[in-house]
Amino acid sequence: MINTNEIFETIEMIRNEHLDIRTITMGISLLDCISSSSEESCRKIYDKITRYAENLVKTGDDIGDEFGIPIINKRISVTPISLIAGASDAKDYVCYAKALDRAAKETGVNFIGGYSALVYKGIAKGDEILLNSIPEALAETEMVCSSVGVATTKAGINMDAVKRMGQIIKETAALTADRDSLGCAKFVVFANPVEDNPFMAGAFHGVGEGDCVINVGVSGPGVVKKALEHIKGEDFGAVANTVKKTAFKITRMGQLVAQEASKRLGVPFGIVDLSLAPTPAVGDSVAYILEEMGLEKCGTHGTTAALALLNDAVKKGGIMASGYVGGLSGAFIPVSEDAGMIAAAECGALSLDKLEAMTCVCSVGLDMIAIPGDTTAETISAIIADEMAIGVINQKTTAVRVIPAIGKKVGDTVEFGGLLGAAPIMPVHEYSSADFINRGGRIPAPVHSLKN
């Protein structure tokens, strides 16, 4: 039974604490769009997406209006395009990216993810063509997001692919230099990517999924911070319990929206992603939660321990509120999208090395980090390799989304606007990793991957 106090509490969360549903994401399988003709395949892709997602945005808006719950984004994820286009006659897959972009604009969604490839152990012909096309595809489309899986705990790290990622990021930055290298903000490199992630830019619809599914990503860092304000000075057991209880409430709202969207669209409900996803709005910050625990500034000593507690408590609270929890589920730490992270980076409290340490205990990884535009491709690849190693060894999803902003140096700022926010240019190590990256081959899977 829901009592009056709980109703008023939820209203307060929405009005003053930035509680929202961050995204309703419709996953669509494109396996039946495979054709030897790229023109025919692209036509099928456009037709299927616009047919399935025709009412996605309206349904999300209607639910938001009726329940009084802000639903910020409506998105689409599709089967990795390298799998779809690999059977076609195309020598360049940019036409597929443009078909996705047209479909996204027609349906009115914010982003469409799945211009992706999975190259954990090797690069097939279709993968190769897609990788070559990523910079142009991201430069010539608005809504398309791309991701590449280069490592898993079972397969190890494909260092040939890691090397390519640095080159792709540099090329993408150059092609979108007039927009502060914005194309890189739509590209993610993964270890252990999941098939049901509703968040961009890394969402894709896995081959183990059904024909169509609704996944929902909740948010609410501001709500968690406000809850912790009421228990100042209490011990960490009280902190963990407070976060768990708050995550339960947030997730219940996400479950409600997911089930309602599923019913109205006639599409199966997939999962609720529990991730605390921040925004540039003051008060809607994961960094502020960590500081509320007693840290003077996010990035100082103790930050990793605080983040570990937060991430674990969010999961424990969330899994009690939904029968199907999935995606990434935890706490995101994107620098440009979190007002507290931005402030910590600007004053020097938060470094790239500290962010890397924090990714050992949180969801995803190095996210929306702007670095100097003259950073070499090999250095970017080495940053990726470090993060992939954390994911592989710890059997968790990790990712890298970095923006080498052309023409920018440490001390400058890049402005992306909207949820992507703004980011100070963070320094990278000046010593070369080129010989390490140029070795190529694969870093073998860790011994604890042998569980069969």
Side-chain angles (χ1 to χ4, degrees), residues 22 72-73 75 110-111 142 178-183 185-186 278-281 334-338 342 368 370 401 403 413-424:
R22 187 52 47 85
I72 307 302
N73 297 297
R75 297 165 171 171
N110 306 94
F111 286 113
E142 295 179 43
D178 60 331
R179 289 163 278 167
D180 277 343
S181 302
L182 178 63
K186 300 187 294 174
T279 71
V335 174
S336 80
E337 300 174 12
D338 186 309
I342 294 169
M368 286 303 291
R401 184 164 50 149
I403 301 102
T413 300
V414 289
E415 297 278 351
F416 300 120
L419 284 175
L420 295 178

Side-chain angles (χ1 to χ4, degrees), residues 21 216 218 249-259 269 272:
I21 299 298
V216 166
V218 298
K249 295 172 185 176
I250 293 170
T251 306
R252 288 300 289 173
M253 190 178 76
Q255 176 85 1
L256 170 67
V257 170
Q259 290 177 331
F269 160 55
V272 174

Side-chain angles (χ1 to χ4, degrees), residues 4 13 45 71 88-89 103 177 234 277 361 368 382 389 395 417:
T4 305
M13 289 177 178
I45 288 170
I71 300 175
S88 76
D89 55 7
E234 296 192 31
V361 299
M368 286 303 291
Q395 304 179 71

Side-chain angles (χ1 to χ4, degrees), residues 314-336:
V314 165
K315 292 177 188 291
K316 287 175 177 174
I319 59 175
M320 297 299 293
S322 174
Y324 297 97
V325 170
L328 301 167
S329 290
F332 287 177
I333 51 172
V335 174
S336 80

